[in-house]
Amino acid sequence: MSIVINKETRAVIIGGAAGLNAAKKMAEFDFLVKRPLTVQAFVYPPEEGQQKEIFLGGELKNVKVYSSLADALAENPQINTALIYLGASRATQATMEAIEASNISLVSVITEGVPEKDAKKLRIAAEKNNTTLNGPSSIGIMSAGECRLGVIGGEFKNLKLCNLYRPGSFGVLTKSGGLSNEAMWLCAQNGNGITSAVAIGGDAYPGTDFVTYLEMFDKDPDTKAVVMIGEVGGTLEEEAAEWLAKEPRSIRLIAAIGGTCQEVLPQGMKFGHAGAKEGKKGTGSARSKINALREAGAVVPDTFGGLSKAIKQVYDELLADGTIAPETEIDDALLPELPPKVQKVVKEGEVIVEPLIRTTVSDDRGEEPRYRGYAASELCEKGYGIEDVIALMWNKKLPTKEESEIIKRIIMISADHGPAVSGAFGSIIGACAGIDMPQAVSAGMTMIGPRFGGAVTNAGKYFQKGVREFPNDIPGFLAWMKKNVGPVPGIGHRVKSLKNPDKRVKYLVSYVKNETSLHTPCLDFALEVEKVTTAKKDNLILNVDGTMGAILVDLGFPIHSLNGFFVLARTIGMIGHWIDQNEQNSRLIRLYDYLINYAVEDERDVPEKK
């Protein structure tokens, strides 16, 4: 058997990240002893409605997060235990709510730093509601082979080394969380393991004292001895001694008391725990506790180092008189192992996993991102700019200085074309509707297509085809385009013409042709096409999309990357429009009637439905 918790324990964890970590550790124990998940729900208002993923061995379980304890208990009436993993400022209220819940019979408070006045109130409330209150500052409770609350017991391998997969004959009581793990280990190495272990916490006013738990152990037929580890400060150990001496008990008591070094230190010095300090006139000293327990009949070694020998001595005596039967050794190979994580087995070369994706452009596994092998900070230090990073990511090579200057100018020239074009107008409408920047810019981005900006890729594609297949035959190229595609992408403008040229195009062409040494077969072909098309109609000029597409092909960029330059450049402008409208506190846009042609039927009566 066990005390406090067992196979029927079902818990709710009240708290965030620390509580989730505890739930995962508890699930490891659940897997070891082949029981259902102990944790049935979480309560944490900021994450209400979420599902927390917890592995029970290799099986993924989803545990719901609720905004209140009442909601969690209403949907999970099987819950009978609450664990508190909140900060000290919120723990008291949450603990009080759990104590007062009719479903809850045990509350274990992991939180440290709960004010003493609050701890006293919680203890009184727990006694009034007949609820067991463990903690504050408790690492948890363990019942071997049955249940684990909190992270008590440590890592999975330690659960097996301490024989926690099956019950033994020793109970454990400690204030210290770390020493509870040590005591369970000693009971496994020098005895046959534990029935239950309770870390009551090191605060001055624990919710439940040693005596209460000793009485539970005394009534448990499977617990034959209890290892109690106390410390300087308070009177819990003296009370345990009085309880032991009061009448014959069914359990043997082994005790170790820390803090004898207090005898050579200034009086009143506090040790690690809030309650670990000697009182006035030597009350609560380690020496007085040791003497009281020895006089009551407990086995108390002189130092903690003697605890192993004391446990072995009591275990041998219980074996000798038949109180405990020898345990059959269990082959460790028969115990379950946690399924290894993919990262581990891949690293150790024990399994082959096909990659989900393959990347050739960047790597973030080192101290900083690397673009095609170049560290981002080193690129900055050596004078490279955003235009060079674009070339690295999109064309997979560092451009020359001339090429960088061309890329930079393409981005600058195409960053915006005023508020009237569809992309900018879409972002402006979004901004005026109060939409956040990413969504408003996305609204503008959705406008990019065959009729707005999307011609860059197709212009580069077909001008490149012309260079390769119609090098000296512009009429033949235009005839092929008319038959197979339609209008030539990158040719034509709604506003600009030979008489009203697009200065951006003129500048880019002049810069590339006159100030760089770039070989420009694609741009040259596009300009020859323009000569033929403008002879037919003066607005069939080479537009900025066509110019960009031709130059970028000459720079060696992949065809499918070309629209990226328009997308990237116009993002700058769309963000600018969004900021501008927000700074003006612009209102929601509604079209005026005079901008709409209502080509609808005149008003008429609705006929009766037949």
Side-chain angles (χ1 to χ4, degrees), residues 228-234 236-241 244 253-263 282 284-304:
M228 184 179 77
I229 300 179
E231 62 190 17
V232 61
L236 297 185
E237 293 82 359
E238 287 90 343
E239 293 165 10
L244 182 64
L253 183 60
I254 307 161
I257 307 298
T260 53
C261 61
Q262 177 70 63
E263 295 169 356
S285 69
R287 186 63 59 190
S288 67
K289 294 173 186 289
I290 290 171
N291 293 338
L293 285 163
R294 282 175 174 168
E295 290 171 7
V299 178
V300 186
D302 292 330
T303 64
F304 187 82

Short mmCIF file of all heavy atoms in Angstrom, two decimals, residues 228-234 236-241 244 253-263 282 284-304:
data_model
loop_
_atom_site.label_atom_id
_atom_site.label_comp_id
_atom_site.label_asym_id
_atom_site.label_seq_id
_atom_site.Cartn_x
_atom_site.Cartn_y
_atom_site.Cartn_z
N MET A 228 13.28 9.48 8.29
CA MET A 228 12.91 10.88 8.44
C MET A 228 14.17 11.73 8.47
O MET A 228 15.06 11.51 9.28
CB MET A 228 12.11 11.10 9.73
CG MET A 228 11.59 12.52 9.91
SD MET A 228 10.63 12.71 11.43
CE MET A 228 11.96 12.78 12.65
N ILE A 229 14.26 12.69 7.57
CA ILE A 229 15.42 13.58 7.52
C ILE A 229 14.97 14.98 7.92
O ILE A 229 14.17 15.62 7.22
CB ILE A 229 16.06 13.60 6.12
CG1 ILE A 229 16.51 12.19 5.74
CG2 ILE A 229 17.23 14.57 6.09
CD1 ILE A 229 17.13 12.09 4.36
N GLY A 230 15.46 15.43 9.05
CA GLY A 230 15.10 16.75 9.56
C GLY A 230 16.28 17.69 9.53
O GLY A 230 17.34 17.38 8.98
N GLU A 231 16.09 18.83 10.15
CA GLU A 231 17.16 19.83 10.14
C GLU A 231 16.95 20.79 11.30
O GLU A 231 15.89 20.80 11.96
CB GLU A 231 17.14 20.60 8.83
CG GLU A 231 15.87 21.38 8.58
CD GLU A 231 15.78 21.95 7.17
OE1 GLU A 231 16.52 21.48 6.29
OE2 GLU A 231 14.96 22.85 6.97
N VAL A 232 17.96 21.60 11.53
CA VAL A 232 17.89 22.59 12.58
C VAL A 232 16.71 23.53 12.33
O VAL A 232 16.36 23.82 11.20
CB VAL A 232 19.22 23.39 12.63
CG1 VAL A 232 19.46 24.13 11.32
CG2 VAL A 232 19.22 24.37 13.79
N GLY A 233 16.07 23.97 13.39
CA GLY A 233 14.97 24.92 13.27
C GLY A 233 13.61 24.29 13.46
O GLY A 233 13.37 23.16 13.04
N GLY A 234 12.70 24.99 14.15
CA GLY A 234 11.36 24.50 14.37
C GLY A 234 11.31 23.39 15.39
O GLY A 234 12.30 23.06 16.05
N LEU A 236 9.30 20.35 14.64
CA LEU A 236 8.63 19.20 14.03
C LEU A 236 9.29 17.89 14.42
O LEU A 236 8.61 16.87 14.65
CB LEU A 236 8.63 19.33 12.50
CG LEU A 236 7.87 20.53 11.91
CD1 LEU A 236 7.88 20.45 10.39
CD2 LEU A 236 6.44 20.58 12.44
N GLU A 237 10.60 17.88 14.50
CA GLU A 237 11.32 16.65 14.85
C GLU A 237 11.07 16.28 16.31
O GLU A 237 10.90 15.09 16.64
CB GLU A 237 12.81 16.82 14.57
CG GLU A 237 13.17 16.96 13.10
CD GLU A 237 12.99 18.38 12.55
OE1 GLU A 237 12.56 19.27 13.33
OE2 GLU A 237 13.28 18.60 11.37
N GLU A 238 11.05 17.29 17.21
CA GLU A 238 10.76 17.02 18.62
C GLU A 238 9.34 16.47 18.78
O GLU A 238 9.09 15.55 19.59
CB GLU A 238 10.91 18.29 19.46
CG GLU A 238 12.37 18.73 19.67
CD GLU A 238 12.86 19.68 18.58
OE1 GLU A 238 12.23 19.73 17.52
OE2 GLU A 238 13.89 20.33 18.80
N GLU A 239 8.42 17.01 17.99
CA GLU A 239 7.04 16.50 18.04
C GLU A 239 6.98 15.06 17.55
O GLU A 239 6.21 14.24 18.08
CB GLU A 239 6.13 17.39 17.20
CG GLU A 239 5.95 18.79 17.76
CD GLU A 239 5.36 19.77 16.76
OE1 GLU A 239 4.90 19.32 15.68
OE2 GLU A 239 5.35 20.98 17.03
N ALA A 240 7.78 14.74 16.56
CA ALA A 240 7.84 13.37 16.07
C ALA A 240 8.40 12.44 17.15
O ALA A 240 7.92 11.30 17.32
CB ALA A 240 8.70 13.30 14.82
N ALA A 241 9.39 12.92 17.89
CA ALA A 241 9.95 12.13 18.98
C ALA A 241 8.90 11.87 20.06
O ALA A 241 8.78 10.75 20.58
CB ALA A 241 11.17 12.85 19.57
N LEU A 244 6.52 9.22 18.85
CA LEU A 244 7.11 7.88 18.84
C LEU A 244 7.15 7.30 20.25
O LEU A 244 6.90 6.10 20.45
CB LEU A 244 8.54 7.95 18.26
CG LEU A 244 9.29 6.63 18.13
CD1 LEU A 244 8.58 5.71 17.14
CD2 LEU A 244 10.72 6.88 17.68
N LEU A 253 11.56 3.84 13.30
CA LEU A 253 11.89 5.19 12.85
C LEU A 253 13.41 5.35 12.79
O LEU A 253 14.11 5.12 13.78
CB LEU A 253 11.29 6.25 13.76
CG LEU A 253 11.53 7.71 13.32
CD1 LEU A 253 10.93 7.99 11.95
CD2 LEU A 253 10.96 8.68 14.35
N ILE A 254 13.88 5.75 11.62
CA ILE A 254 15.29 6.07 11.41
C ILE A 254 15.35 7.56 11.09
O ILE A 254 14.63 8.04 10.22
CB ILE A 254 15.88 5.27 10.24
CG1 ILE A 254 15.61 3.77 10.42
CG2 ILE A 254 17.37 5.55 10.08
CD1 ILE A 254 15.75 2.98 9.14
N ALA A 255 16.17 8.30 11.79
CA ALA A 255 16.18 9.76 11.58
C ALA A 255 17.60 10.27 11.39
O ALA A 255 18.55 9.77 12.01
CB ALA A 255 15.53 10.48 12.75
N ALA A 256 17.72 11.26 10.53
CA ALA A 256 18.98 11.97 10.36
C ALA A 256 18.66 13.46 10.46
O ALA A 256 17.71 13.94 9.84
CB ALA A 256 19.61 11.64 9.02
N ILE A 257 19.46 14.18 11.24
CA ILE A 257 19.21 15.60 11.46
C ILE A 257 20.41 16.41 10.98
O ILE A 257 21.54 16.19 11.42
CB ILE A 257 18.94 15.91 12.95
CG1 ILE A 257 17.83 15.00 13.51
CG2 ILE A 257 18.60 17.38 13.13
CD1 ILE A 257 16.49 15.18 12.84
N GLY A 258 20.17 17.33 10.08
CA GLY A 258 21.23 18.18 9.59
C GLY A 258 21.33 19.47 10.40
O GLY A 258 20.34 19.98 10.91
N GLY A 259 22.56 19.98 10.53
CA GLY A 259 22.74 21.28 11.18
C GLY A 259 23.53 21.25 12.47
O GLY A 259 23.52 22.25 13.21
N THR A 260 24.24 20.15 12.75
CA THR A 260 25.04 20.14 13.98
C THR A 260 26.19 21.15 13.92
O THR A 260 26.72 21.55 14.96
CB THR A 260 25.62 18.73 14.23
OG1 THR A 260 26.30 18.29 13.05
CG2 THR A 260 24.52 17.75 14.58
N CYS A 261 26.52 21.58 12.71
CA CYS A 261 27.57 22.60 12.58
C CYS A 261 27.13 23.93 13.20
O CYS A 261 27.96 24.81 13.44
CB CYS A 261 27.94 22.81 11.12
SG CYS A 261 26.56 23.39 10.10
N GLN A 262 25.83 24.06 13.47
CA GLN A 262 25.32 25.27 14.11
C GLN A 262 26.01 25.52 15.46
O GLN A 262 26.12 26.66 15.91
CB GLN A 262 23.81 25.13 14.32
CG GLN A 262 23.14 26.31 15.04
CD GLN A 262 23.09 27.55 14.19
OE1 GLN A 262 22.46 27.56 13.16
NE2 GLN A 262 23.79 28.60 14.61
N GLU A 263 26.50 24.44 16.07
CA GLU A 263 27.11 24.56 17.40
C GLU A 263 28.35 25.42 17.39
O GLU A 263 28.75 25.95 18.42
CB GLU A 263 27.42 23.15 17.93
CG GLU A 263 26.17 22.31 18.16
CD GLU A 263 26.50 20.85 18.41
OE1 GLU A 263 27.69 20.48 18.34
OE2 GLU A 263 25.57 20.06 18.69
N GLY A 282 18.80 28.10 22.20
CA GLY A 282 19.14 26.79 21.64
C GLY A 282 17.97 25.93 21.24
O GLY A 282 18.14 24.77 20.86
N GLY A 284 15.26 24.14 19.07
CA GLY A 284 15.29 23.74 17.67
C GLY A 284 16.67 23.40 17.15
O GLY A 284 16.85 23.26 15.94
N SER A 285 17.64 23.25 18.03
CA SER A 285 18.99 22.92 17.57
C SER A 285 19.04 21.48 17.09
O SER A 285 18.23 20.62 17.50
CB SER A 285 20.01 23.11 18.70
OG SER A 285 19.81 22.14 19.70
N ALA A 286 19.97 21.19 16.20
CA ALA A 286 20.11 19.83 15.69
C ALA A 286 20.42 18.85 16.82
O ALA A 286 19.89 17.73 16.84
CB ALA A 286 21.22 19.80 14.64
N ARG A 287 21.24 19.29 17.79
CA ARG A 287 21.63 18.40 18.89
C ARG A 287 20.43 18.03 19.75
O ARG A 287 20.25 16.86 20.12
CB ARG A 287 22.70 19.07 19.74
CG ARG A 287 23.29 18.17 20.82
CD ARG A 287 24.00 16.98 20.23
NE ARG A 287 25.09 17.40 19.34
CZ ARG A 287 25.74 16.57 18.55
NH1 ARG A 287 25.40 15.28 18.51
NH2 ARG A 287 26.71 17.01 17.76
N SER A 288 19.56 19.01 20.05
CA SER A 288 18.39 18.71 20.88
C SER A 288 17.44 17.77 20.15
O SER A 288 16.80 16.90 20.77
CB SER A 288 17.66 20.00 21.25
OG SER A 288 17.06 20.61 20.11
N LYS A 289 17.34 17.90 18.85
CA LYS A 289 16.47 17.01 18.07
C LYS A 289 17.03 15.59 18.07
O LYS A 289 16.28 14.60 18.22
CB LYS A 289 16.35 17.53 16.63
CG LYS A 289 15.63 18.87 16.49
CD LYS A 289 15.70 19.39 15.05
CE LYS A 289 15.11 20.79 14.93
NZ LYS A 289 13.66 20.81 15.08
N ILE A 290 18.34 15.46 17.86
CA ILE A 290 18.97 14.14 17.86
C ILE A 290 18.74 13.44 19.20
O ILE A 290 18.35 12.26 19.26
CB ILE A 290 20.47 14.26 17.56
CG1 ILE A 290 20.67 14.68 16.10
CG2 ILE A 290 21.20 12.95 17.85
CD1 ILE A 290 22.12 15.04 15.75
N ASN A 291 18.97 14.16 20.28
CA ASN A 291 18.81 13.57 21.63
C ASN A 291 17.38 13.14 21.87
O ASN A 291 17.11 12.05 22.41
CB ASN A 291 19.27 14.56 22.69
CG ASN A 291 20.76 14.82 22.64
OD1 ASN A 291 21.53 14.00 22.12
ND2 ASN A 291 21.21 15.96 23.15
N ALA A 292 16.42 14.00 21.48
CA ALA A 292 15.01 13.69 21.72
C ALA A 292 14.59 12.44 20.95
O ALA A 292 13.88 11.57 21.48
CB ALA A 292 14.14 14.88 21.32
N LEU A 293 15.03 12.33 19.71
CA LEU A 293 14.65 11.18 18.90
C LEU A 293 15.31 9.90 19.40
O LEU A 293 14.67 8.82 19.42
CB LEU A 293 15.05 11.44 17.44
CG LEU A 293 14.15 12.43 16.70
CD1 LEU A 293 14.83 12.96 15.44
CD2 LEU A 293 12.82 11.76 16.33
N ARG A 294 16.54 9.98 19.83
CA ARG A 294 17.21 8.80 20.37
C ARG A 294 16.53 8.31 21.64
O ARG A 294 16.30 7.11 21.83
CB ARG A 294 18.68 9.09 20.64
CG ARG A 294 19.55 9.09 19.38
CD ARG A 294 20.97 9.50 19.69
NE ARG A 294 21.83 9.36 18.50
CZ ARG A 294 23.05 9.84 18.40
NH1 ARG A 294 23.58 10.52 19.43
NH2 ARG A 294 23.76 9.67 17.31
N GLU A 295 16.18 9.25 22.51
CA GLU A 295 15.51 8.89 23.76
C GLU A 295 14.15 8.26 23.51
O GLU A 295 13.68 7.42 24.29
CB GLU A 295 15.34 10.14 24.63
CG GLU A 295 16.66 10.67 25.21
CD GLU A 295 16.50 12.02 25.89
OE1 GLU A 295 15.34 12.48 26.02
OE2 GLU A 295 17.52 12.62 26.26
N ALA A 296 13.52 8.65 22.36
CA ALA A 296 12.20 8.09 22.04
C ALA A 296 12.30 6.72 21.39
O ALA A 296 11.28 6.04 21.21
CB ALA A 296 11.46 9.05 21.11
N GLY A 297 13.51 6.29 21.02
CA GLY A 297 13.69 4.96 20.46
C GLY A 297 14.02 4.94 18.98
O GLY A 297 14.10 3.86 18.37
N ALA A 298 14.22 6.09 18.37
CA ALA A 298 14.57 6.14 16.95
C ALA A 298 16.04 5.79 16.76
O ALA A 298 16.87 6.01 17.66
CB ALA A 298 14.29 7.52 16.38
N VAL A 299 16.36 5.25 15.61
CA VAL A 299 17.75 4.99 15.24
C VAL A 299 18.27 6.27 14.59
O VAL A 299 17.80 6.67 13.52
CB VAL A 299 17.86 3.81 14.27
CG1 VAL A 299 19.32 3.61 13.87
CG2 VAL A 299 17.29 2.55 14.90
N VAL A 300 19.25 6.93 15.23
CA VAL A 300 19.74 8.21 14.73
C VAL A 300 21.26 8.17 14.62
O VAL A 300 21.96 8.14 15.63
CB VAL A 300 19.33 9.37 15.67
CG1 VAL A 300 19.73 10.71 15.05
CG2 VAL A 300 17.84 9.33 15.97
N PRO A 301 21.80 8.12 13.41
CA PRO A 301 23.26 8.14 13.26
C PRO A 301 23.81 9.50 13.66
O PRO A 301 23.10 10.51 13.67
CB PRO A 301 23.46 7.87 11.77
CG PRO A 301 22.21 8.34 11.13
CD PRO A 301 21.10 8.09 12.11
N ASP A 302 25.10 9.53 13.98
CA ASP A 302 25.73 10.79 14.39
C ASP A 302 25.77 11.81 13.26
O ASP A 302 25.67 13.01 13.50
CB ASP A 302 27.16 10.51 14.89
CG ASP A 302 27.16 9.72 16.19
OD1 ASP A 302 26.20 9.88 16.98
OD2 ASP A 302 28.11 8.95 16.40
N THR A 303 25.93 11.32 12.03
CA THR A 303 25.99 12.22 10.87
C THR A 303 25.14 11.63 9.75
O THR A 303 24.74 10.45 9.79
CB THR A 303 27.44 12.37 10.35
OG1 THR A 303 27.89 11.10 9.87
CG2 THR A 303 28.36 12.86 11.46
N PHE A 304 24.91 12.46 8.73
CA PHE A 304 24.13 11.98 7.59
C PHE A 304 24.86 10.83 6.90
O PHE A 304 24.23 9.95 6.32
CB PHE A 304 23.91 13.14 6.61
CG PHE A 304 22.98 12.80 5.48
CD1 PHE A 304 21.61 12.86 5.66
CD2 PHE A 304 23.47 12.39 4.26
CE1 PHE A 304 20.74 12.53 4.63
CE2 PHE A 304 22.62 12.07 3.22
CZ PHE A 304 21.25 12.14 3.40
#
